[in-house]
Amino acid sequence: MIEVQAEPQPFVFDPGHVALLCIDFQRDFLETGGFGESLGNDVARLRNAIAPTQAVLSAFRERGWTVIHTREGHRPDLTDLFPAKRDRGNPSLRIGEEGPMGRLLVRGSAGHEIVPELAPQPGEVVLDKPGKGSFYATDLETILRARGITSLVVAGVTTEVCVQSTVREANDRGFESLVLSDCTGSYFPEFHASALAMFAAQGGIVGWVGTSADLLDALEQSPVRTEKAE
């Protein structure tokens, strides 16, 4: 077992049953010309999560542990896009409309892809989802159960939307989640802080909150394992 310093108490996981979940590190959210910027957001605020997530990704890859990437986006015909989502707010461009990186949040467009710094490697799961939560309308739970995963280390954007939705879904399904505060981010710093506080409140009612540094320190003190759980 590996113990990581975290709030509200240490996060303990079995290295044979853990996965890194990287949520929506997509060009549409982290780069100019994408969906995030169309909403009037400063996308640079999310890019601080890239470097620490790279370090965690490297550690998981070195050990041969499960890595899962998610991408939020819709079918090209938009048959999986509810009007309630499409018509929300007052963006300069709406989902499905043509932007500098292709149609916004549409599968197959350049903006839908994960940023190059965190691009998936062969053999890593890439999960496309039409909603905010990673379990909604996907086979994520099936993948986790099939691989014997019980613990999730979570990185991604944005903290208060897709990350929070996913961690709450995971909690309801019996998975334990460690959210890495420096590997997550929001366009609104106050929302980021608030979401992290909610995860760890009331004795960790939703999950645990830690840092990449504390996780990597814990891993360095444990022998490197290269086999996956069976």
Side-chain angles (χ1 to χ4, degrees):
M1 303 297 282
I2 295 177
E3 180 176 302
V4 183
Q5 290 303 307
E7 295 293 336
Q9 62 263 333
F11 181 76
V12 180
F13 68 91
D14 183 338
H17 300 277
V18 67
L20 173 62
L21 186 59
C22 296
I23 299 173
D24 299 1
F25 281 113
Q26 295 162 253
R27 297 182 66 193
D28 258 333
F29 296 127
L30 280 79
E31 295 185 7
T32 58
F35 181 66
E37 188 177 65
S38 79
L39 295 171
N41 297 310
D42 179 4
V43 297
R45 290 180 173 173
L46 301 188
R47 298 190 64 82
N48 291 334
I50 292 177
T53 301
Q54 283 180 309
V56 175
L57 258 177
S58 295
F60 269 68
R61 288 167 173 166
E62 178 184 5
R63 290 162 174 79
W65 295 349
T66 295
V67 174
I68 299 173
H69 306 262
T70 75
R71 300 182 300 195
E72 181 182 351
H74 296 276
R75 297 164 54 97
D77 61 8
L78 303 182
T79 53
D80 59 350
L81 176 60
F82 293 116
K85 180 179 183 181
R86 182 195 63 213
D87 299 335
R88 191 65 54 84
N90 188 32
S92 59
L93 291 171
R94 295 195 181 275
I95 297 171
E97 294 183 350
E98 196 71 33
M101 293 186 288
R103 297 175 67 201
L104 271 65
L105 287 189
V106 170
R107 299 171 189 175
S109 297
H112 182 256
E113 295 302 321
I114 294 167
V115 295
E117 299 94 327
L118 301 174
Q121 291 187 350
E124 295 176 351
V125 176
V126 179
L127 188 82
D128 287 328
K129 60 188 184 70
K132 298 173 177 63
S134 299
F135 289 88
Y136 168 67
T138 75
D139 55 0
L140 176 58
E141 183 172 2
T142 299
I143 292 169
L144 296 176
R145 302 286 187 206
R147 295 194 174 199
I149 302 300
T150 57
S151 300
L152 300 174
V153 174
V154 181
V157 298
T158 61
T159 319
E160 78 279 8
V161 183
C162 294
V163 172
Q164 179 161 219
S165 295
T166 297
V167 172
R168 289 182 180 277
E169 290 176 330
N171 178 259
D172 285 343
R173 289 162 174 78
F175 299 101
E176 297 189 332
S177 300
L178 171 65
V179 180
L180 300 178
S181 59
D182 56 334
C183 295
T184 52
S186 172
Y187 302 121
F188 306 94
E190 64 274 23
F191 291 174
H192 174 71
S194 179
L196 294 176
M198 285 189 281
F199 293 145
Q202 300 182 70
I205 195 168
V206 178
W208 288 255
V209 176
T211 66
S212 62
D214 284 336
L215 172 64
L216 295 173
D217 284 346
L219 297 186
E220 287 177 4
Q221 297 173 31
S222 303
V224 173
R225 291 180 52 181
T226 57
E227 70 273 15
K228 290 185 172 69
E230 296 181 358

